[in-house]
Amino acid sequence: MREVRAGAPIGCSSGERWTGLVERDAEREQIVGALMDSEGGRGRFVLLYGTAGVGRSRLLRASILEAQDRGIAVLEACGSEMERGYGFGVVRQLMEARIASMTSPQRRSLLTDAGPHAEAALGTGSPEMRGSSASFDQIEGVFRLITRLAAVKPLLLAVDDLQWCDRPSLDFLCFLGHRATRLPVTIIAAWRRGEPGVRAGRLQALAGKPDTLFLSPAPLTLGGVRRVLELETGNQPDDEAVGAIHAQTGGQSFLVSALIRGLLLRDVPARADSRESIEGVTPEAVRRNVAARLGRNSQQVQRFAHAVAVLGDCSLPQAAALAMIDQDKARGAADALVRAGILRDDSALAYAQPLLRAAVYDTLTSLEAAELHQRAAALLYEAGSRCEPADLELIAGHLLRCAPSGESRFAEALQQVASRAATAGAIDDAQRMLRRALDEIDDQADRGHLLTRLSDLELLTADFPEAAAHATEALSIASTPTERLVATLASAQALAATSGCSAAVELVEAEAEHLGETDADVKFELRAAAVVLRACADAPPGPDEDALTGVEALLGETKSERALLAGLASLAILAGDASATHINRACARVLTNRDETPSGAISDLADYLACRAALLADVGDLVEHFLQRIPQNDGDAAEAGGRPAYLGLRAQLALSRGELAEAETSARAALTLLGDLPPTALHRRVRADLLAVVAAAAIERSNHEEAEQALSELLGAEDGPSPAATSLRLALALAQSLPALEVASAAADGHPPAGLVAPGISWRPLAALAHHAAGDCSRAVTLATDHLRHAEAWGIPSVLGRALAVRGVVDPGPERLSFVEEAVAVLEGTSAQLDLASATVELGAALRRAGRRRESRERLVSAADLAHRCGAHALAARARLELVSLGARPRRAAFSGVSSLTAAELRVARLAAAGLTNRAIAQALIVSVKTVSGQLTSVYRKLEVHDRAALVPAMQQDDDPEPTPEAVH
């Protein structure tokens, strides 16, 4: 006998014979061993047993090929449920081909020796013998026939689908199996477990004999599925795809192969991102196989299988109720499906493999499936007086697959599931639930409420036409003032997203006028909404919104009060007709009178507008405290809910403090986030503010092309050109040294806002500078004086300082210097560092013109250094030009900090920070110790430190590896 190694190819053509048989090394070894034993004269009965699809037939086919390669004669047969009533049908299949291949003399000799009873079994004897029933004599006759054939060469009898074998043939195989060990005959039979109507008591007894080889192939492991994928596709599969295929098939060999081929036909790649596609494929071969298997069972078993396919994991009573059979019969149906490997053998009913459930479900027609889902939803709802969340989700899932029945209880379930889905961020699922719930509602009030909820969700997914349509329908059916209020606000949101905030203002104000005085509370909420929308659109204030007068009684305790306060504060700033004290009090009431901590996203217009107004009113600390209360994700502002509004406020806060680089970075990050979000009223307001920040920062940093691009977007806004665009165009023209008078005159004709439109930006001072540059000193002084009067009334040091500086610049007389000196004095106590740098430059220039050169030099050096720290390249360049006019030679951008160090000082500072002594530094640089000491003294002065311990953290701010130029001489 040849030695058989487990897991290794057997025979020269083993690779071809066993191709595709994965994880079957143990079965292969035993089958080959049995064939080798038969070559030595000792046969075996081998029974391949398992559920459908486990791979029995493929093992049988590989066994046949193995036997043929070994010179063993093979007799094949296959049981059929259609031929189970034909006596000796399988025996005849085994012998037909062999006898037909014989010559006539050989055939006569063989049959004569076997006897007339063998001929009767094979249907070749006399009519009288053929008509007799199967008997022991016939079985013995066929046995002698097999014995004669085995005397010539060893035999393999291969029988597939033994469960459908006719009774006489099964009796013969049992007879032969008991005697196989004395003959060179191997019997390999594949028996499918769980088929109905199978009587195999004798075979089961034979399977239990010690000489019988009982093989039950196991499902494929993850590694086995991976190997099959490699063989079928020729590629290295993805772990996620392997896991998805294994989960769908349970490792059943037939299901694995069918699913992989189905994926190949549909060009679905075996990748992690294809998991959903993999789960959605049900191959036609599996459908046909499952339909055939179910068709062999009774109608009750089929109905039960369909019920479980519709319900999913369920209890026996639930499936029985849906199948409309009593529980005793349902228990028998469940047992039959478990034995067949269709259902899992568990206390809860579930399909053995998800792919089988999908295939069984596909055997239902659309009408049958819809009816079962309708009944399933009703059964689950009626199961108890109070449905748990998981039950409600199941009910909703069934309702989505059936036609509406007009039952309000189903609408309630769908709305509850939609609320949970929306809270979890599954907006698309929530929309599907609400759209389905609409079909179950007849009550107009409930329908209107549902339509507004649906419209809100559709705005989140940028489904604007649907949102507008649903909001409009809700408004058309609303009857009470409260219903009309909710519908109007929903319609306004949809209209703001589709047509702009101005159109939304018109809608809200029209509804408020239509309402009259019937309901004061509703009218108040409508007024608050209109004010907020006006603030978002930079629209002129209405007749009752010219200032914060009359709102002192509003404490900001309700959402409507906070919205009204924030909106009025924004409009008052735009109009320039209120004091900062009023603005600050209103914003504080909005931001501090909240019961809850702000969420991870600034989604409330009142919060954003109040923060924006507070920044313009120079109350940055209030805004920073509010922003610090917002939860952070690992300290990443962009990740904290993806909050463009949060970043927008951070950008404006940085701009107000002169931190241009940080302002531009935050603004661009927020604009990127806004690109993926619907243009709601809040997002429109934030976008306009961000573009203003980008333009303002770009102008100060001398990035004029970026400023032009931001301005073009501001001018092309759907709500009309932003008021900030007018001022910024003036600022850009002045920065580029272009004629700005025409821009200023055109802006004046358009009645620009008198107040602030962004941190540090208003129209009048820029227009004054434009007229001054054009030589129109009278008009420049008039505008600057008017702005100074507003600034004094406004009462903010930063605004006042800027106004004083502009008034000094345009003043042609001797008072110029006093105005600028006062501006610097006012700004030195504020956080507006960029404004301080600008005023200091003007002071230095004024001092130079007054002949006070030493004072001028000190001021200009300080201004250039401060402008450099802010990132205001244009202002820093101007300060250096003024220094040149004084006769200095400034070759550095900064005069303090690491960037102010000369190349030699930077080398010494780095070595000192590394821990080297003065002597070690002198030796390393080949200079004297005195030179090192002098350079360190200069380093300490510029970095504002006093010893080496403080030098280390100061040097850590060094972001520029290149040495700076020489100092000012």
Side-chain angles (χ1 to χ4, degrees):
M1 285 188 178
R2 287 180 290 174
E3 180 183 0
V4 179
R5 289 188 298 110
I10 305 171
C12 60
S13 58
S14 174
E16 297 178 5
R17 287 192 300 271
W18 301 93
T19 297
L21 290 179
V22 176
E23 294 186 335
R24 295 293 181 256
D25 289 343
E27 290 84 357
R28 178 182 64 175
E29 180 180 353
Q30 296 188 70
I31 289 170
V32 173
L35 293 174
M36 293 171 67
D37 287 346
S38 70
E39 291 175 321
R42 185 176 183 274
R44 298 287 295 275
F45 187 96
V46 181
L47 185 61
L48 305 176
Y49 180 78
T51 57
V54 79
R56 297 163 293 99
S57 297
R58 298 186 73 177
L59 270 173
L60 184 63
R61 175 51 48 189
S63 303
I64 291 171
L65 295 175
E66 180 73 32
Q68 289 173 341
D69 280 352
R70 293 177 175 277
I72 297 174
V74 178
L75 305 180
E76 296 182 60
C78 182
S80 170
E81 56 183 330
M82 302 298 295
E83 300 179 6
R84 292 169 67 178
Y86 303 151
F88 288 107
V90 167
V91 168
R92 294 180 184 183
Q93 283 188 60
L94 288 169
M95 302 300 300
E96 283 170 352
R98 184 59 182 271
I99 292 175
S101 66
M102 294 179 176
T103 63
S104 296
Q106 289 175 328
R107 189 182 306 114
R108 282 195 301 272
S109 174
L110 178 67
L111 293 175
T112 300
D113 290 343
H117 293 290
E119 290 186 81
L122 297 176
T124 60
S126 64
E128 295 80 7
M129 294 295 292
R130 278 182 285 169
S132 63
S133 60
S135 64
F136 176 79
D137 293 333
Q138 290 174 320
I139 292 173
E140 187 180 26
V142 177
F143 174 73
R144 286 200 299 269
L145 193 63
I146 293 295
T147 304
R148 285 288 309 277
L149 292 173
V152 178
K153 62 166 57 176
L155 283 180
L156 169 63
L157 274 63
V159 182
D160 200 2
D161 286 333
L162 186 64
Q163 71 278 358
W164 293 322
C165 182
D166 60 276
R167 184 58 179 268
S169 295
L170 186 61
D171 289 344
F172 164 72
L173 290 172
C174 290
F175 182 88
L176 179 61
H178 283 286
R179 294 158 177 78
T181 55
R182 300 194 295 272
L183 299 168
V185 177
T186 301
I187 307 166
I188 303 181
W191 182 7
R192 181 188 296 179
R193 192 189 79 182
E195 289 299 327
V198 174
R199 299 173 181 175
R202 295 184 183 181
L203 195 58
Q204 288 173 343
L206 180 61
K209 288 188 59 179
D211 291 334
T212 300
L213 195 57
F214 188 88
L215 303 179
S216 182
L220 298 176
T221 63
L222 282 170
V225 173
R226 176 182 298 279
R227 179 58 183 155
V228 175
L229 260 172
E230 291 173 350
L231 291 172
E232 294 284 355
T233 64
N235 300 319
Q236 184 68 26
D238 185 278
D239 289 344
E240 289 284 338
V242 171
I245 293 173
H246 188 272
Q248 281 294 99
T249 62
Q252 289 290 80
S253 179
F254 165 70
L255 297 181
V256 170
S257 297
L259 181 55
I260 292 173
R261 287 167 187 164
L263 296 174
L264 291 174
L265 285 173
R266 294 164 177 80
D267 292 327
V268 177
R271 295 198 308 260
D273 57 1
S274 301
R275 187 180 190 94
E276 187 173 341
S277 299
I278 291 171
E279 292 173 352
V281 171
T282 306
E284 185 60 32
V286 178
R287 288 195 189 96
R288 291 198 307 268
N289 179 275
V290 168
R293 290 167 64 186
L294 282 181
R296 299 182 194 111
N297 292 274
S298 66
Q299 288 292 323
Q300 288 182 340
V301 172
Q302 293 179 47
R303 290 207 311 272
F304 191 82
H306 292 152
V308 179
V310 167
L311 289 170
D313 293 5
C314 60
S315 65
L316 183 71
Q318 288 175 324
L322 186 58
M324 293 189 294
I325 56 178
D326 62 58
Q327 289 197 28
D328 289 337
K329 292 180 179 178
R331 191 171 291 106
D335 290 340
L337 293 170
V338 168
R339 286 195 301 272
I342 294 176
L343 294 185
R344 202 168 53 220
D345 188 6
D346 201 350
S347 57
L349 295 176
Y351 273 82
Q353 296 89 25
L355 186 56
L356 281 184
R357 180 189 175 190
V360 171
Y361 186 89
D362 284 351
T363 62
L364 293 167
T365 66
S366 298
L367 292 176
E368 289 173 336
E371 181 185 355
L372 284 173
H373 282 295
Q374 179 78 41
R375 285 171 34 213
L379 287 171
L380 289 172
Y381 201 94
E382 293 164 1
S385 58
R386 184 175 62 88
C387 289
E388 298 295 330
D391 296 329
L392 288 174
E393 289 183 6
L394 288 175
I395 292 169
H398 289 300
L399 291 173
L400 290 175
R401 292 173 173 84
C402 64
S405 59
E407 297 189 49
S408 59
R409 59 177 181 169
F410 289 160
E412 292 177 12
L414 288 163
Q415 290 185 74
Q416 290 183 50
V417 175
S419 297
R420 275 192 286 272
T423 302
I427 305 300
D428 290 338
D429 292 340
Q431 288 182 21
R432 282 197 297 273
M433 300 297 170
L434 292 182
R435 289 191 182 110
R436 179 63 179 80
L438 280 174
D439 297 330
E440 301 286 356
I441 290 182
D442 292 328
D443 183 79
Q444 293 297 297
D446 291 342
R447 183 175 180 82
H449 176 65
L450 198 156
L451 284 166
T452 56
R453 290 179 60 193
L454 181 55
S455 177
D456 291 341
L457 293 178
E458 286 165 340
L459 284 175
L460 295 178
T461 56
D463 194 355
F464 302 133
E466 289 292 323
H470 287 134
T472 302
E473 183 184 351
L475 185 57
S476 68
I477 63 177
S479 56
T480 67
T482 302
E483 290 174 6
R484 292 196 64 83
L485 168 67
V486 174
T488 300
L489 296 180
S491 297
Q493 290 186 54
L495 196 58
T498 54
S499 304
C501 294
S502 299
V505 170
E506 293 179 9
L507 172 68
V508 174
E509 291 182 340
E511 179 61 25
E513 185 177 352
H514 170 75
L515 185 65
E517 302 298 331
T518 57
D519 193 311
D521 292 337
V522 171
K523 194 172 181 66
F524 182 84
E525 292 202 38
L526 288 172
R527 182 195 174 200
V531 169
V532 166
L533 289 169
R534 280 185 176 276
C536 288
D538 286 318
D544 299 328
E545 300 153 6
D546 54 348
L548 289 175
T549 308
V551 297
E552 292 295 333
L554 297 178
L555 301 179
E557 294 178 343
T558 66
K559 186 174 182 179
S560 297
E561 287 184 357
R562 290 197 296 270
L564 184 59
L565 281 169
L568 289 175
S570 298
L571 292 177
I573 291 174
L574 199 64
D577 56 1
S579 71
T581 302
H582 284 83
I583 301 296
N584 293 344
R585 283 204 297 264
C587 293
R589 274 176 265 162
V590 175
L591 299 177
T592 60
N593 288 0
R594 295 173 57 103
D595 295 332
E596 73 281 1
T597 299
S599 65
I602 300 176
S603 57
D604 194 315
L605 270 167
D607 289 344
Y608 179 79
L609 291 175
C611 286
R612 178 177 180 271
L615 285 173
L616 296 178
D618 208 19
V619 198
D621 292 343
L622 174 65
V623 177
E624 191 159 31
H625 176 71
F626 177 79
L627 295 179
Q628 287 173 352
R629 293 168 59 197
I630 296 175
Q632 302 279 319
N633 292 342
D634 299 328
D636 188 346
E639 282 295 319
R643 305 181 307 273
Y646 175 95
L647 287 174
L649 292 173
R650 281 291 180 195
Q652 293 171 73
L653 180 61
L655 182 63
S656 69
R657 293 173 174 175
E659 300 164 355
L660 299 178
E662 182 179 343
E664 190 170 0
T665 300
S666 296
R668 292 198 178 280
L671 284 170
T672 300
L673 293 173
L674 281 174
D676 298 327
L677 296 173
T680 60
L682 173 63
H683 295 157
R684 286 174 182 271
R685 176 70 269 167
V686 174
R687 179 177 176 79
D689 293 338
L690 290 171
L691 288 171
V693 170
V694 170
I699 291 170
E700 295 292 346
R701 292 165 66 85
S702 297
N703 296 329
H704 296 156
E705 289 186 4
E706 293 181 7
E708 285 281 7
Q709 183 178 355
L711 280 174
S712 65
E713 293 187 47
L714 273 173
L715 290 168
E718 292 185 23
D719 285 312
S722 169
T726 301
S727 300
L728 289 168
R729 286 196 69 81
L730 271 171
L732 181 59
L734 291 169
Q736 294 174 313
S737 300
L738 297 175
L741 190 56
E742 184 178 347
V743 179
S745 299
D749 293 339
H751 304 290
L756 296 173
V757 292
I761 300 172
S762 56
W763 172 75
R764 279 196 184 92
L766 291 168
L769 293 174
H771 281 278
H772 176 71
D776 186 358
C777 294
S778 175
R779 178 61 177 161
V781 170
T782 300
L783 287 169
T785 303
D786 194 21
H787 178 61
L788 181 57
R789 186 172 61 254
H790 278 83
E792 290 171 343
W794 181 240
I796 294 177
S798 60
V799 176
L800 179 60
R802 287 192 294 269
L804 287 166
V806 171
R807 179 66 181 82
V809 168
V810 301
D811 192 300
E815 294 184 352
R816 168 184 295 204
L817 184 58
S818 62
F819 278 120
V820 180
E821 284 179 330
E822 186 180 354
V824 172
V826 169
L827 289 169
E828 281 179 339
T830 70
S831 61
Q833 296 297 290
L834 182 58
D835 295 320
L836 175 60
S838 178
T840 305
V841 170
E842 298 297 345
L843 178 58
L847 289 169
R848 177 182 61 79
R849 288 189 291 271
R852 297 159 62 177
R853 298 175 62 85
R854 181 176 179 180
E855 294 177 69
S856 173
R857 178 191 177 98
E858 291 175 357
R859 291 290 187 178
L860 290 172
V861 167
S862 173
D865 190 38
L866 186 55
H868 175 75
R869 292 182 184 180
C870 291
H873 304 318
L875 186 60
R878 187 186 166 205
R880 289 195 295 272
L881 286 174
E882 291 288 345
L883 283 168
V884 170
S885 299
L886 284 170
R889 291 179 294 165
R891 294 193 292 272
R892 286 183 289 112
F895 298 91
S896 65
V898 175
S899 59
S900 69
L901 301 179
T902 66
E905 290 169 347
L906 185 60
R907 287 193 292 268
V908 169
R910 286 174 174 169
L911 293 173
L916 274 68
T917 64
N918 286 10
R919 185 173 298 279
I921 295 172
Q923 291 175 352
L925 299 179
I926 316 178
V927 295
S928 67
V929 176
K930 183 177 180 181
T931 299
V932 172
S933 178
Q935 289 176 337
L936 270 179
T937 300
S938 179
V939 168
Y940 290 162
R941 175 178 56 80
K942 292 181 179 180
L943 298 185
E944 299 180 355
V945 298
H946 303 286
D947 53 27
R948 290 175 183 254
L951 180 62
V952 176
M955 288 300 296
Q956 289 176 349
Q957 301 175 8
D958 181 13
D959 295 327
D960 185 5
E962 298 297 328
T964 58
E966 294 296 327
V968 174
H969 296 289

